[in-house]
């Protein structure tokens, strides 16, 4: 793991928290973006914690460079305060998680644990903010009309999978999808696993983007909030 922060006291606290958990090994520290990019290339860490407010290159710019060069590294962006604009840009930068810096040590360990396992928990932030979800999906939909679609042909989705993907695009949680379709939470999870596999997607947002590009689902200009499809 690599930690990137320009405040020595905070950096030491994060390192101590993670190492004391007994689950993680911190292989490097960086006080700025340039150093972070260099260490990321040298150390190839599985997880990188990046403060969004860095001197010189900010955390978002650093994240974009690292994800382009080392896509296997999972990035967690930390911010002093939660902000929809920062969340939107964190998603575009390829972050797996976005969190305020005032979280508890236990919560930080849990976030790192989930990201280390390959989970994109930034989706939880998106699902709780339909406006951000709408902005992300609509932007990628606009981009898809101007980009060459060189993606492989994926296995077709079943009608039920299309229904579930449409619900995800509208910001519904697993429980809300299960309730609206009268199926169990586990069945929803099983369908989502199948969808991600068929679309070769790492997370829900990527799956929705792929489906939009192929025209399998349609996105209206106004996405209703959870529970209001």
């Amino acid at each position: 793991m690599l930690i990137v922060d320009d405040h020595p006291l905070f950096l030491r606290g994060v390192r101590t928290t993670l190492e004391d958990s007994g689950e993680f090994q911190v292989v490097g520290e960086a006080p700025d973006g340039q150093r972070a990019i260099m260490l990321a290339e040298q150390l190839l860490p599985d997880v990188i914690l990046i403060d969004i407010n860095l001197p010189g290159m900010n955390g978002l710019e650093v994240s974009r460079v690292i994800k382009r060069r080392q896509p296997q590294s999972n990035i967690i962006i930390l911010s002093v305060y939660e902000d929809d604009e920062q969340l939107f840009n964190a998603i575009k930068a390829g972050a797996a998680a976005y969190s305020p810096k005032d979280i508890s040590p236990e919560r930080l360990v849990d976030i790192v644990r989930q990201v280390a396992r390959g989970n994109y928990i930034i989706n939880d932030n998106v699902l709780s903010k339909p406006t951000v979800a709408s902005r992300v999906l609509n932007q990628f939909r606009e981009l898809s009309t101007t980009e060459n679609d060189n993606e492989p042909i994926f296995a077709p989705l079943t009608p039920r999978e299309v229904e579930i993907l449409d619900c995800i695009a509208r910001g519904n949680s697993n429980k809300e999808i299960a309730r609206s379709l009268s199926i169990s939470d586990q069945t929803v999870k099983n369908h989502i696993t199948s969808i991600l596999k068929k679309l070769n997607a790492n997370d829900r947002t990527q799956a929705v983007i792929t489906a939009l590009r192929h025209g399998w689902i349609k996105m209206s200009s106004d996405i209703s909030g959870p529970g209001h499809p």
Side-chain angles (χ1 to χ4, degrees):
M1 171 176 297
L2 174 64
I3 306 173
V4 186
D5 197 288
D6 63 328
H7 294 90
L9 185 61
F10 180 81
L11 192 152
R12 177 168 294 184
V14 169
R15 179 168 194 151
T16 299
T17 294
L18 295 174
E19 290 185 332
D20 285 354
S21 73
E23 298 182 51
F24 313 106
Q25 178 185 9
V26 177
V27 296
E29 301 174 354
D32 57 62
Q34 293 294 345
R35 177 71 174 167
I37 292 169
M38 182 183 71
L39 287 178
E41 290 182 340
Q42 292 177 353
L43 303 172
L44 302 177
D46 295 327
V47 178
I48 306 176
L49 274 161
I50 302 179
D51 180 15
I52 202 168
N53 296 310
L54 292 173
M57 297 177 67
N58 66 39
L60 294 169
E61 294 170 327
V62 174
S63 298
R64 278 191 286 269
V65 172
I66 291 176
K67 285 300 290 185
R68 186 169 61 247
R69 297 181 182 180
Q70 286 95 239
Q72 77 283 356
S73 292
N74 298 303
I75 293 176
I76 300 170
I77 290 181
L78 299 178
S79 177
V80 174
Y81 58 90
E82 289 189 273
D83 177 82
D84 285 1
E85 184 71 19
Q86 288 185 351
L87 172 59
F88 174 71
N89 287 313
I91 294 167
K92 289 175 63 180
Y98 168 85
S99 173
K101 297 178 76 172
D102 62 354
I103 56 174
S104 68
E106 294 78 15
R107 177 57 180 156
L108 177 62
V109 169
D110 182 57
I111 289 174
V112 175
R113 181 186 300 121
Q114 291 192 58
V115 169
R117 292 173 178 169
N119 295 325
Y120 278 68
I121 61 175
I122 199 167
N123 291 331
D124 296 335
N125 302 76
V126 176
L127 291 174
S128 68
K129 297 177 180 292
T131 301
V132 177
S134 174
R135 186 176 174 189
V136 171
L137 295 172
N138 285 334
Q139 182 181 73
F140 277 105
R141 187 184 186 194
E142 291 169 5
L143 287 174
S144 71
T145 63
T146 60
E147 295 176 343
N148 291 325
D149 189 358
N150 294 320
E151 296 174 273
I153 299 174
F154 299 105
L157 301 176
T158 67
R160 177 62 89 185
E161 288 169 346
V162 171
E163 277 187 296
I164 290 175
L165 198 53
D166 186 62
C167 288
I168 293 172
R170 294 175 182 275
N172 295 148
S173 67
N174 282 8
K175 288 186 179 298
E176 289 166 337
I177 295 172
R179 186 169 61 248
S180 66
L181 299 180
S182 299
I183 56 180
S184 68
D185 289 0
Q186 186 58 52
T187 299
V188 172
K189 292 179 182 178
N190 292 342
H191 280 303
I192 292 174
T193 298
S194 174
I195 290 168
L196 296 181
K197 183 177 180 180
K198 286 182 177 181
L199 303 189
N200 194 27
N202 294 322
D203 56 80
R204 300 179 182 204
T205 302
Q206 186 181 352
V208 171
I209 292 165
T210 298
L212 284 170
R213 286 178 173 177
H214 287 275
W216 297 333
I217 62 172
K218 300 296 181 183
M219 181 65 64
S220 59
S221 59
D222 54 336
I223 297 181
S224 303
H228 296 85

